[in-house]
Amino acid sequence: MPLPKYPVLFYKPVTALAGPFDDILVPALAQEAEGLDYECELVVIIGKEARDVPESEALDHVLGYAVGNDVSHREWQLRRGGGQWSLGKGFDGWLPWGPGIVSSKLIKDPQSLKISTKLNGTTVQDSPTRDMIFSVAATISFLSQGTTLLPGDIISTGTPQGVGSGRSPPLWLKDTDIVEVNVEGIGSCTNKVDYASSKPKL
């Protein structure tokens, strides 16, 4: 996939939010084909209304940071979904995040953190946030152009290399797999993949 000129934007519904230790429930629709993938991401929580903010002031609008797993189904994201990324990323509980919110007063530079994923105890992603295509400040500034960001808005900032879909052969998540996503200085979310349950917890 070529590097984008602008941040790629998609939305997850509020029902996609899950706790840092909740199971990742895989509904029947997402069990029809392989393609379940992990994405460790630095999560930004907006603390102050932001609209048309310059990049130089963007971090002033951040309440704090967390870690999240942007659980994705590549078959529905890229093929069956007709390019509608939200369809392959927005199932119930497909954004485990936490384990808390670390204040932006404690994390002065979000581009100086280490981000990683372990799958069943094996490291599959391990990168510094300075390698992000778009910095946190650049992302917030771009998203605020003509669109108001409100306190409590949650922004997942993109994942480093090492996702299952980028491997040969692909490394898809399976039933009972344990996925741990971590950001240095923030903590971890550890979630089990559950193909058996079909009812959401919400």
Side-chain angles (χ1 to χ4, degrees), residues 41-44 115 129 132-136 139 155-159:
E41 304 197 3
L42 175 66
V43 173
V44 179
I115 186 168
T129 53
M132 292 167 58
I133 299 173
F134 302 99
S135 69
V136 171
T139 298
I155 302 170
S156 290
T157 55
T159 196

Side-chain angles (χ1 to χ4, degrees), residues 113 188 194:
L113 306 173
S188 299
D194 185 354

Side-chain angles (χ1 to χ4, degrees), residues 22-39:
D22 289 346
D23 289 350
I24 298 168
L25 302 181
V26 183
L29 190 66
Q31 295 183 35
E32 293 180 356
E34 291 186 319
L36 188 63
D37 211 346
Y38 51 84
E39 292 190 15

Side-chain angles (χ1 to χ4, degrees), residues 16-199:
L17 295 175
F21 309 112
D22 289 346
D23 289 350
I24 298 168
L25 302 181
V26 183
L29 190 66
Q31 295 183 35
E32 293 180 356
E34 291 186 319
L36 188 63
D37 211 346
Y38 51 84
E39 292 190 15
C40 182
E41 304 197 3
L42 175 66
V43 173
V44 179
I45 299 89
I46 297 297
K48 184 172 65 174
E49 185 175 301
R51 190 177 191 277
D52 296 330
V53 297
E55 187 173 335
S56 60
E57 299 176 9
L59 296 184
D60 296 338
H61 296 262
V62 175
L63 171 69
Y65 303 93
V67 59
N69 185 353
D70 177 19
V71 181
S72 306
H73 198 290
R74 304 307 182 190
E75 181 72 18
W76 281 104
Q77 176 191 352
L78 301 173
R79 286 175 284 276
R80 298 189 185 191
Q84 300 177 79
W85 280 28
S86 291
L87 185 59
K89 290 173 170 280
F91 292 107
D92 287 349
W94 278 27
L95 182 57
W97 73 294
I101 299 173
V102 178
S103 171
S104 57
K105 294 180 180 179
L106 298 177
I107 297 179
K108 300 292 186 180
D109 181 10
Q111 307 308 140
S112 63
L113 306 173
K114 178 182 175 182
I115 186 168
S116 62
T117 300
K118 290 183 179 180
L119 176 58
N120 299 322
T122 299
T123 299
V124 290
Q125 291 185 287
D126 189 4
S127 295
T129 53
R130 67 173 177 271
D131 287 349
M132 292 167 58
I133 299 173
F134 302 99
S135 69
V136 171
T139 298
I140 293 172
S141 176
F142 174 78
L143 295 179
S144 75
Q145 301 306 305
T147 299
T148 303
L149 303 179
L150 297 175
D153 282 350
I154 296 173
I155 302 170
S156 290
T157 55
T159 196
Q161 63 182 358
V163 295
S165 58
R167 295 171 176 268
S168 183
L171 180 62
W172 303 128
L173 296 178
K174 306 293 186 184
D175 189 30
T176 72
D177 277 350
I178 304 294
V179 187
E180 179 186 353
V181 293
N182 176 274
V183 173
E184 176 187 25
I186 295 175
S188 299
C189 294
T190 303
N191 311 93
K192 184 175 78 172
V193 178
D194 185 354
Y195 272 59
S197 300
S198 59
K199 294 181 179 180

